[in-house]
Amino acid sequence: MKNKGTTSAQLNEMLMKGYSVHQQGYLKEAQAIYQQILNRQPMHFDALQLAGAIALETKHYEQALSLLSKAIKLQPNHGLIHYNLGIAFQELNQFKSAISSYDEAIRLNPDFASSYSNRGDALQATNQFTAAIVSYDKAIDLNPDYFEAYSNRGNALQSLKQYQEAMASYEKAISLNPHFAEAYSNRGNVLQELSQFEAAVGCYDQAIRLNPHYFEAYSNRGNALRKAKFYDVAIASHEQALKLNPHYAEAYCNRGNVYLAQRSLDQAIVDFNKAINLKPQFFEAYSNRGRAYLELSQYDKAMSDLDKALSINPHYIPALMHRGNTIKELKPVNTLSAKQAMANYDQAICIDDECADAYFNKSLLKLLLGEYEEGWALYEWRWKVSEENFLRDFKQPLWLGESSIEDKTILIHAEQGLGDSIQFCRYIAMIEPLAPKEIILEAPKALISLLSTLKSRVTFIEQGNAIPSFDLHCPMISLPHAFKTSGSTIPAKIPYLFAEENKTKLWKNKFANKTHPRIGIAWSGSTSHKNDHNRSLLLKQLSPLFDLPFEFHCLQNEIRPNDLEALNALEQLHQHQDELIDFSDTAALIENMDLVISVDTSLAHLAGSMGKKVFILLAFAPDYRWMLDRSDSPWYPTATLFRQPEIEDWDSVIEQVKLALLVFK
C-alpha cells in the first residue's frame, strides 16, 4: 500500500541505497529495497526499471516483463528498457514481441550493438536466418570485436547449410577471444554436420577444457560420438552433462537418441519421457519418442507424439518424416494413405527444398506404388540422407545413362545389402550392348563366386581390393534409373545367376534318395538390418509347416541363439550351416531344392534370380521392391508373395503358405 507520508527525498535516498547494494552484487537485498519503494509509489520509474533489470539477472522473466512494461509506459522513449524488454520476451519464447522491442531500442539508439545482436538471436529463433545474419553484421560493424555476435552469426549460417562460412565466423570469434568456449562448441556442431566426428569431438573437448562445467558441450560431444557409433562413450558424455545439470532436458533427449540407435527402445522412451517432463513443449523429444514407438510398432502412440510435436512446431522436419513413415506402416498403403504420407514429405520439401530425407522417403513411396521412373530418379537422394550413406569419392564421373560409354571402362560398384546386389546385378546384361571397353564389377567377397556366373563379359573385383583404371562409375542400385526402368521394362530374363555344376553335384550326392519334394527354408535375415524386427521370424513360428510330407533343408548359415533349441529339436529340418561358405555354396544347395520358402532376405533374391520357385513371406508394410496388393513380382516371375493381412500377423501368412503347400507338386 502506498505510504503517503514518505517524501520524494526519502524515496530517492532509498533508491540510492538500493542502487549501491545492487552495484555491489547483492541482488536480493537490492530487489527488496526497490520493492519497498514500489510499495509506497507503485509507478516509481527508476524503481520499476531497476527492479526489472534485477529480475532479468535472476531469471525471473515474467516478473521482469511486468515491471519493465510498467516502466516503459512512463518513459516510452527509453531505449535501454526496450532492450531489456526484448530480453524478457525472448527468454519467454515470445520472439515476435522480442523483435519489436529490439527494433524500438535500435530506433532510439542506432549505435547499440547488443540490440542488433540480440535481435539476430530472436530472428534465428523464428527461422529468419538471412535477416539474422544482417542483424549480426550490423552489430559487428558497430563493434568489430564482438566475438559473441560472430559466434551466433555462425549459428545462422549453419542453419542455412553454409558450413564453410559458418566455420569462418566461429574462427573469427575464437581469434577475438581464444577462451570463448561456446565458439568451440558451435564449431564442433558444424563439423558434425560435415560428418567430421573426430574433429567435432576435439572441438567439444577444447570447449570443456575452457569451461569444465559446460554441460551443453558434453551433450553435443555425446551426439558426435553417437553418429560415429561409439555408443557407450556417447552415453557417458550425456551422463556427465546430466551430472552437471540434472535438469538439462536436451541431454535426456540426446541420450535417448543413443538408446534409439542401439534399439534399446524402452530405455529411449524413458529418457524422452524425462525430457518432456522437464520441458513440456520439447517438440524434438515428442518426435523422437514417436519414432521409438514407430520402431516398436505402437503406431497409435507414434502418431499421437508426432502430431503433438507438429502442433508445437509445424515446421519440424524430422516429425514430418516420421509421421509420413508411420502412415505408411499404420494402415494399408492405398491411394488415400499414400496421398497423406506424401503430403508430409512434400510439406518438408516446402520448408527445405534440399531436404534429402523427404525426397528419399518420397522415392520409396513412389517405388512401392510402382511409379518407377520418378521413384528411381528421387532415389538418388539416398546419398545425402545419412552419415553412413556416401557416394564413392571417385575422380571419374558418375554415369547415370546420359552419355555414351562406348569404348570406355565402366565400374559398377555394389552397395547396400547382399540381396540388393543379387537383385540389381541383372542390369549388367543391359550394359554390355552399349559397347563398353570393359565392365568392372566390384562386390563383396561373399558374392564374387556367385556373380561370376553372370553371362556377361565382366572383370570382378572384391570390395577392399585395388580397382583397375576406369573412365566412369555407377552404383549398382542407380542402374534402374540409368536405364529409365518402368513397371513394364523391368529386366526379368530369368535365370541370370546360376549354381556351379560341381558344387550342385556335391550337394546332390550328400542327399539320400528323394522320397518327398525338397524345400529350402530361411526364416530370418541379418540382425543388423534396420527392419529386421519386422521381416524376420522365430523358427518355432514355422512349426505348422514341418508336419507336412516334405523334406526340409535349412538355407541359413547364421542361426540365432533363440532359434537353436527349436532347430536342434526338428529332425525333419536338415542343417547345413557349416558347409555354406559363400553364396555359391548356397546357390548349389538351392539348385537341389524343389521350392524355397524365405522371408524378405538375400536368399529370397537368390532363389528368384536362379528361376527357382520361391514363396516370399512379407511383413504388413513391405519393402518398396515388392510393391502392393499382388501375389507375384515383376522382378522374379517364379516368386509367390505371401503378405501379412494385419501388422505382425505371421500366423495368417504361415496358414496361407501351408494351404499352398498342400497343393504343391
Side-chain angles (χ1 to χ4, degrees):
M1 179 182 291
K2 183 178 179 182
N3 186 340
K4 295 183 179 179
T6 305
T7 65
S8 296
Q10 289 173 319
L11 290 175
N12 286 336
E13 184 179 342
M14 291 173 67
L15 184 69
M16 294 303 296
K17 180 181 178 182
Y19 186 74
S20 176
V21 172
H22 187 170
Q23 291 298 103
Q24 295 174 56
Y26 297 107
L27 302 183
K28 186 176 180 180
E29 291 80 356
Q31 189 73 310
I33 294 171
Y34 296 145
Q35 189 57 52
Q36 288 176 25
I37 297 171
L38 293 172
N39 288 341
R40 290 163 172 76
Q41 187 174 325
M43 296 304 289
H44 191 289
F45 171 76
D46 289 315
L48 285 168
Q49 65 107 354
L50 290 170
I54 288 180
L56 276 184
E57 287 185 69
T58 56
K59 301 184 179 180
H60 293 95
Y61 301 116
E62 293 280 6
Q63 182 186 12
L65 189 60
S66 174
L67 292 164
L68 295 169
S69 296
K70 292 176 183 177
I72 206 67
K73 287 179 181 178
L74 297 171
Q75 291 195 25
N77 293 325
H78 198 294
L80 182 59
I81 298 178
H82 282 290
Y83 172 77
N84 284 338
L85 268 171
I87 296 173
F89 280 124
Q90 192 164 340
E91 292 293 343
L92 292 169
N93 294 329
Q94 298 179 35
F95 299 113
K96 186 175 180 180
S97 297
I99 293 166
S100 296
S101 291
Y102 293 133
D103 284 342
E104 190 63 13
I106 289 166
R107 185 184 70 79
L108 294 166
N109 185 356
D111 298 324
F112 191 20
S114 293
S115 291
Y116 287 101
S117 184
N118 284 10
R119 181 176 178 272
D121 296 343
L123 287 164
Q124 272 207 77
T126 55
N127 296 329
Q128 299 179 67
F129 302 115
T130 302
I133 292 167
V134 171
S135 207
Y136 292 129
D137 286 343
K138 183 62 178 177
I140 291 164
D141 286 343
L142 292 167
N143 179 4
D145 296 328
Y146 203 158
F147 57 88
E148 296 97 337
Y150 273 109
S151 185
N152 292 335
R153 179 178 180 271
N155 294 342
L157 288 162
Q158 182 181 167
S159 296
L160 291 171
K161 300 182 181 180
Q162 297 177 23
Y163 298 127
Q164 297 307 321
E165 294 88 341
M167 289 286 283
S169 209
Y170 296 136
E171 296 289 354
K172 182 64 176 178
I174 290 167
S175 71
L176 290 169
N177 183 356
H179 301 287
F180 187 34
E182 188 174 328
Y184 285 101
S185 184
N186 289 339
R187 187 172 181 269
N189 294 341
V190 171
L191 289 166
Q192 275 202 65
E193 293 289 341
L194 296 171
S195 299
Q196 298 178 32
F197 304 121
E198 185 177 350
V201 170
C203 281
Y204 299 130
D205 287 342
Q206 178 63 15
I208 290 164
R209 279 192 288 271
L210 291 167
N211 179 3
H213 300 286
Y214 197 171
F215 54 87
E216 294 98 335
Y218 273 108
S219 195
N220 289 340
R221 181 177 180 271
N223 289 340
L225 289 164
R226 168 179 59 83
K227 292 175 183 176
K229 298 188 177 180
F230 295 115
Y231 297 131
D232 291 342
V233 191
I235 288 171
S237 201
H238 292 309
E239 287 174 349
Q240 182 60 32
L242 289 167
K243 183 178 178 181
L244 292 167
N245 183 356
H247 302 291
Y248 188 41
E250 283 77 2
Y252 281 112
C253 186
N254 291 336
R255 189 175 68 178
N257 288 335
V258 183
Y259 289 132
L260 197 57
Q262 291 180 307
R263 288 199 55 77
S264 300
L265 302 174
D266 291 334
Q267 285 179 284
I269 289 170
V270 168
D271 269 358
F272 296 140
N273 289 342
K274 290 177 180 177
I276 290 165
N277 288 338
L278 286 167
K279 190 175 176 182
Q281 296 297 102
F282 199 172
F283 56 86
E284 294 98 330
Y286 279 108
S287 178
N288 292 341
R289 192 173 71 178
R291 182 184 166 196
Y293 282 131
L294 174 58
E295 295 283 330
L296 286 168
S297 301
Q298 297 182 30
Y299 300 110
D300 290 338
K301 288 184 177 180
M303 285 295 285
S304 176
D305 270 353
L306 296 168
D307 286 343
K308 177 66 175 178
L310 291 167
S311 73
I312 298 168
N313 183 355
H315 302 287
Y316 189 51
I317 286 175
L320 288 167
M321 293 299 94
H322 300 323
R323 190 175 188 280
N325 294 340
T326 302
I327 289 170
K328 281 199 302 182
E329 302 221 9
L330 181 60
K331 60 184 80 173
V333 178
N334 51 37
T335 304
L336 177 60
S337 62
K339 189 174 181 180
Q340 291 171 339
M342 203 78 76
N344 285 271
Y345 306 144
D346 286 337
Q347 187 177 345
I349 292 167
C350 286
I351 295 167
D352 177 5
D353 61 6
E354 291 292 311
C355 182
D357 283 292
Y359 287 112
F360 179 67
N361 279 293
K362 188 172 179 177
S363 80
L364 296 178
L365 184 52
K366 290 280 185 182
L367 293 171
L368 186 66
L369 295 169
E371 299 175 18
Y372 273 175
E373 291 195 60
E374 185 179 0
W376 292 123
L378 289 171
Y379 196 67
E380 291 302 301
W381 281 89
R382 68 193 183 279
W383 306 116
K384 298 181 180 180
V385 166
S386 73
E387 63 272 5
E388 42 185 70
N389 201 21
F390 288 116
L391 183 62
R392 300 277 285 278
D393 187 19
F394 294 122
K395 64 180 181 181
Q396 294 90 338
L398 173 68
W399 181 76
L400 292 176
E402 70 287 347
S403 61
S404 171
I405 60 172
E406 186 175 356
D407 292 328
K408 294 181 180 177
T409 297
I410 184 166
L411 168 67
I412 307 300
H413 41 100
E415 54 165 312
Q416 300 184 36
L418 299 171
D420 297 283
S421 295
I422 293 170
Q423 179 179 359
F424 295 108
C425 70
R426 69 183 71 202
Y427 281 89
I428 300 297
M430 297 179 68
I431 297 174
E432 202 166 23
L434 301 180
K437 178 181 178 183
E438 184 181 12
I439 302 171
I440 300 172
L441 178 54
E442 184 198 43
K445 180 179 180 180
L447 289 177
I448 293 292
S449 294
L450 174 67
L451 297 180
S452 296
T453 68
L454 286 167
K455 304 299 184 183
S456 298
R457 181 175 50 87
V458 179
T459 300
F460 293 94
I461 299 294
E462 182 184 318
Q463 278 182 349
N465 291 347
I467 301 172
S469 176
F470 62 93
D471 302 303
L472 301 156
H473 76 99
C474 183
M476 194 178 288
I477 310 182
S478 291
L479 289 171
H481 173 50
F483 285 99
K484 303 294 186 286
T485 301
S486 66
S488 60
T489 62
I490 292 172
K493 186 179 180 181
I494 305 294
Y496 56 88
L497 292 175
F498 303 86
E500 295 177 20
E501 187 175 348
N502 62 329
K503 289 187 176 183
T504 302
K505 287 181 179 178
L506 284 172
W507 279 113
K508 185 176 181 179
N509 292 336
K510 290 178 183 179
F511 298 150
N513 290 332
K514 185 165 67 170
T515 56
H516 299 291
R518 290 186 179 130
I519 298 179
I521 297 281
W523 62 91
S524 62
S526 170
T527 55
S528 63
H529 192 282
K530 64 181 181 180
N531 198 39
D532 179 66
H533 60 292
N534 282 325
R535 70 172 188 160
S536 290
L537 287 159
L538 292 171
L539 177 57
K540 64 182 180 182
Q541 292 176 273
L542 294 176
S543 57
L545 304 183
F546 298 127
D547 294 331
L548 299 176
F550 295 100
E551 183 183 315
F552 293 98
H553 293 265
C554 174
L555 300 179
Q556 299 180 194
N557 64 354
E558 200 175 310
I559 308 299
R560 302 183 187 191
N562 55 3
D563 283 326
L564 279 174
E565 184 178 350
L567 178 61
N568 292 330
L570 284 168
E571 293 182 7
Q572 61 271 56
L573 179 56
H574 301 278
Q575 300 184 46
H576 308 291
Q577 48 267 38
D578 293 338
E579 300 168 273
L580 299 174
I581 307 305
D582 65 17
F583 273 79
S584 65
D585 299 310
T586 311
L589 176 57
I590 287 174
E591 187 62 32
N592 281 279
M593 298 295 110
D594 297 296
L595 171 70
V596 169
I597 299 175
S598 176
V599 293
D600 180 11
T601 185
S602 56
L603 297 178
H605 291 281
L606 178 55
S609 70
M610 294 172 61
K612 277 287 176 181
K613 290 183 179 180
V614 56
F615 290 177
I616 303 176
L617 285 48
L618 298 178
F620 180 71
D623 189 78
Y624 72 85
R625 73 198 76 225
W626 305 120
M627 304 171 71
L628 296 168
D629 302 324
R630 57 192 298 171
S631 60
D632 67 327
S633 169
W635 295 96
Y636 301 115
T638 59
T640 303
L641 309 181
F642 294 83
R643 301 174 182 271
Q644 285 184 347
E646 300 289 342
I647 295 168
E648 297 183 347
D649 182 7
W650 284 118
D651 290 343
S652 293
V653 173
I654 303 305
E655 184 61 28
Q656 293 174 46
V657 171
K658 185 175 180 179
L659 291 173
L661 287 177
L662 290 174
V663 297
F664 177 75
K665 297 179 182 179

